[in-house]
Amino acid sequence: MKNKICVLIFLSFSFVANAQVSSHNIIFKINQLELDDNQKQEIQDIMTNCQDGQKLTLFPVTVDQWNSKYVFDKIARDQASEIATYCQELGFELLGMPTNFPTNHKGLSAGVQLKYHKPLYLDKGEEPYTLKANYPEKESQFFLINPLKDTTIYGEEGTVIHIPAGGLTTRELVEFELKEFYRISDLMINDLSTVSNGHMIQTGGSLYMDAKEHKSKRAVGINQQKGLDIAFTDGKNDNEMQVFIKDPNSSKMNWILPRQSRRSYKWSMTEIVMDAEGNEISSTTYNSKEEWEAHLKQEEIKRKKEEERVAQVQQNQDKLKVYDLGYINCDKYYNEPKTPLAVTPDASIEAEYFIIFNGERGVLKGNNYGGSVSFGAVPKDKTATLFAVSFIGDKVYFYKKELSTNSGFSTTVSLQPTNKSYVDQQLAMLK
């Protein structure tokens, strides 16, 4: 009898090695509800052998020692719920929990139908404990444009990009890609800390831009004699804001000013005239304040009839010019007094540490130097939120604390277990 039971158990576990199996028995003891460590490991082994998008069903069964066969316990539904909860923690998608289906096993039939999704970090090459590894990439917006005509692109989150005729290095139809990063949570998830050469900077938004020829997919650049005009959603009305680019020579996130020869401080104003349907009719650039003011005087008689046009001019008067694709940031330096800030990390868990400033548009990611996580020189006499998170296997750990930037080195972090939905909620609360 015992030998027969051992054979049944062996057959059950042998399914783990087959990556194409669509069903598997999870064996429970009589009246056992919670999964034990061996069952959890068995489910993890099944996951390891699954292909991305593979569907499977897990059955909670018990061994009937008298008849040497599998049966469903009277609490099979509850056991199925335990399996479903644990599998969702691992990243499986729950498709359903059928009951009372035909089966050769005795008792109330119960199953857990699942779909496996390969963890994001396996594709993205990220450390598995990070936010970036556990959240999807920012969705791209695509625009098909004629580079021989003046074109204005409007992003879903408020960014306005004016591409002058000849502003791109091709005459072919162009596929223009745009990603917008304005929420603090977007900056954290996408590793876009607001720091320049060790100094905090205040952000008015970050963008990612790319351009390819529509047919050939060849890379397209920006005409260095013209550039693109950008109105960032948050930073367009702040005259101190400048364009920063992602430092190509740094392995860590670092924003730098473009080379002097690539930047233009020449005053310019672009007037865009649109019809009643919002279609662009014409675009004229004035290269000095004197030229602009002379134009306004000439148009003064028509002003009352053209209020909508003037409003459009006002909207675009603070555009910033860029000459680079890739990651672009709208920032200004923070010139108030600063003070060093560091925290003592949780030595038992590898995690990411962030400081989000209350009332300031900035987020810093900490650098772990052995027994200390340093945020460098931060604004003095400010309140901030310390945010730490880690994803380890099927576990999620989180820590959050309000603190003063004058606290120096006095804070010790103790990460606590939680679930991903709680981290989602905390990220969504960051504006």
Side-chain angles (χ1 to χ4, degrees):
M1 178 86 57
K2 291 182 179 179
N3 290 337
K4 292 181 179 180
I5 294 174
C6 289
V7 170
L8 286 172
I9 295 175
F10 173 78
L11 290 174
S12 172
F13 276 85
S14 68
F15 285 125
V16 175
N18 187 348
Q20 303 303 316
V21 298
S22 59
S23 63
H24 188 83
N25 294 323
I26 304 298
I27 303 173
F28 285 77
K29 297 177 182 177
I30 297 176
N31 295 324
Q32 176 195 349
L33 179 57
E34 296 184 358
L35 292 169
D36 60 28
D37 291 340
N38 290 333
Q39 290 168 320
K40 290 181 179 180
Q41 184 60 54
E42 183 179 357
I43 294 173
Q44 291 180 32
D45 291 341
I46 294 172
M47 179 181 69
T48 301
N49 288 281
C50 281
Q51 304 296 322
D52 187 36
Q54 181 176 337
K55 296 180 181 179
L56 69 157
T57 302
L58 302 183
F59 301 106
V61 296
T62 300
V63 177
D64 182 348
Q65 297 185 11
W66 297 105
N67 297 305
S68 300
K69 63 187 331 182
Y70 292 130
V71 298
F72 291 104
D73 201 336
K74 60 184 178 181
I75 59 171
R77 281 183 174 176
D78 295 330
Q79 292 170 336
S81 295
E82 289 294 306
I83 293 174
T85 298
Y86 181 69
C87 287
Q88 286 177 293
E89 291 177 358
L90 292 179
F92 283 99
E93 176 186 355
L94 180 62
L95 301 179
M97 296 177 60
T99 59
N100 297 323
F101 50 84
T103 174
N104 294 325
H105 305 329
K106 292 182 179 180
L108 173 67
S109 59
V112 182
Q113 294 179 340
L114 304 161
K115 185 175 182 180
Y116 173 71
H117 296 285
K118 184 167 61 174
L120 291 171
Y121 64 81
L122 295 180
D123 285 329
K124 294 162 65 175
E126 301 291 338
E127 293 290 346
Y129 66 87
T130 63
L131 287 172
K132 192 172 183 180
N134 289 275
Y135 285 85
E137 292 183 11
K138 187 73 174 185
E139 188 174 349
S140 292
Q141 304 164 53
F142 292 95
F143 305 85
L144 202 60
I145 64 173
N146 182 349
L148 304 181
K149 294 183 178 180
D150 285 354
T151 304
T152 301
I153 289 174
Y154 298 90
E156 294 175 354
E157 297 181 33
T159 306
V160 180
I161 304 173
H162 180 69
I163 305 173
L168 299 175
T169 58
T170 183
R171 299 177 62 85
E172 303 297 324
L173 203 60
V174 170
E175 184 180 273
F176 193 93
E177 180 183 4
L178 171 66
K179 294 182 183 182
E180 299 171 282
F181 307 92
Y182 288 106
R183 295 180 62 89
I184 292 296
S185 56
D186 282 342
L187 301 179
M188 294 168 62
I189 291 170
N190 293 278
D191 197 16
L192 299 174
S193 299
T194 56
V195 62
S196 177
N197 296 326
H199 298 279
M200 175 190 166
I201 49 180
Q202 292 177 275
T203 184
S206 296
L207 305 176
Y208 174 79
M209 299 184 296
D210 195 17
K212 294 181 175 65
E213 289 185 355
H214 180 56
K215 289 185 177 180
S216 69
K217 303 304 179 184
R218 285 196 293 254
V220 172
I222 297 175
N223 184 337
Q224 299 297 297
Q225 302 302 315
K226 295 192 174 185
L228 309 185
D229 292 311
I230 308 290
F232 288 82
T233 303
D234 293 334
K236 63 184 178 183
N237 294 321
D238 190 333
N239 292 329
E240 296 182 27
M241 289 290 177
Q242 302 179 67
V243 169
F244 285 66
I245 63 172
K246 190 174 182 180
D247 186 354
N249 299 316
S250 175
S251 59
K252 295 182 179 294
M253 186 61 238
N254 185 45
W255 295 105
I256 60 172
L257 292 170
R259 296 195 302 272
Q260 289 288 339
S261 60
R262 303 274 305 280
R263 289 156 52 203
S264 172
Y265 293 101
K266 187 177 180 180
W267 193 98
S268 67
M269 172 69 71
T270 300
E271 177 187 64
I272 299 176
V273 180
M274 307 179 74
D275 63 20
E277 285 73 37
N279 300 310
E280 185 177 323
I281 298 175
S282 65
S283 176
T284 306
T285 299
Y286 300 88
N287 296 313
S288 70
K289 289 185 178 181
E290 293 75 18
E291 186 179 358
W292 169 248
E293 290 170 357
H295 167 71
L296 290 181
K297 289 179 180 179
Q298 293 175 7
E299 295 294 314
E300 188 172 359
I301 298 175
K302 303 177 183 179
R303 183 176 298 276
K304 290 183 180 180
K305 296 181 180 180
E306 298 178 342
E307 289 181 352
E308 184 175 351
R309 176 185 61 81
V310 174
Q312 184 65 42
V313 174
Q314 184 65 39
Q315 177 181 339
N316 289 281
Q317 69 179 356
D318 292 307
K319 286 181 177 177
L320 298 170
K321 192 174 289 290
V322 301
Y323 299 88
D324 302 87
L325 294 173
Y327 282 99
I328 305 294
N329 214 12
C330 172
D331 297 285
K332 64 180 181 181
Y333 286 110
Y334 191 89
N335 296 318
E336 296 183 21
K338 300 182 181 70
T339 184
L341 177 66
V343 300
T344 301
D346 189 326
S348 65
I349 301 172
E350 193 167 16
E352 285 186 298
Y353 295 80
F354 300 90
I355 285 288
I356 301 103
F357 296 90
N358 301 336
E360 307 289 346
R361 291 284 300 170
V363 56
L364 296 180
K365 184 177 179 180
N367 294 309
N368 198 326
Y369 300 108
S372 177
V373 173
S374 173
F375 298 95
V378 303
K380 193 175 182 180
D381 300 321
K382 299 289 183 180
T383 57
T385 301
L386 174 61
F387 190 110
V389 64
S390 181
F391 300 83
I392 307 294
D394 62 323
K395 303 294 185 183
V396 181
Y397 299 90
F398 182 76
Y399 180 87
K400 180 180 177 181
K401 181 181 180 180
E402 298 292 319
L403 50 76
S404 167
T405 57
N406 298 335
S407 59
F409 298 79
S410 62
T411 302
T412 299
V413 175
S414 178
L415 287 150
Q416 300 299 317
T418 185
N419 53 64
K420 188 172 181 292
S421 62
Y422 181 75
V423 177
D424 294 343
Q425 180 187 35
Q426 294 298 311
L427 289 170
M429 292 169 61
L430 300 174
K431 304 299 182 183

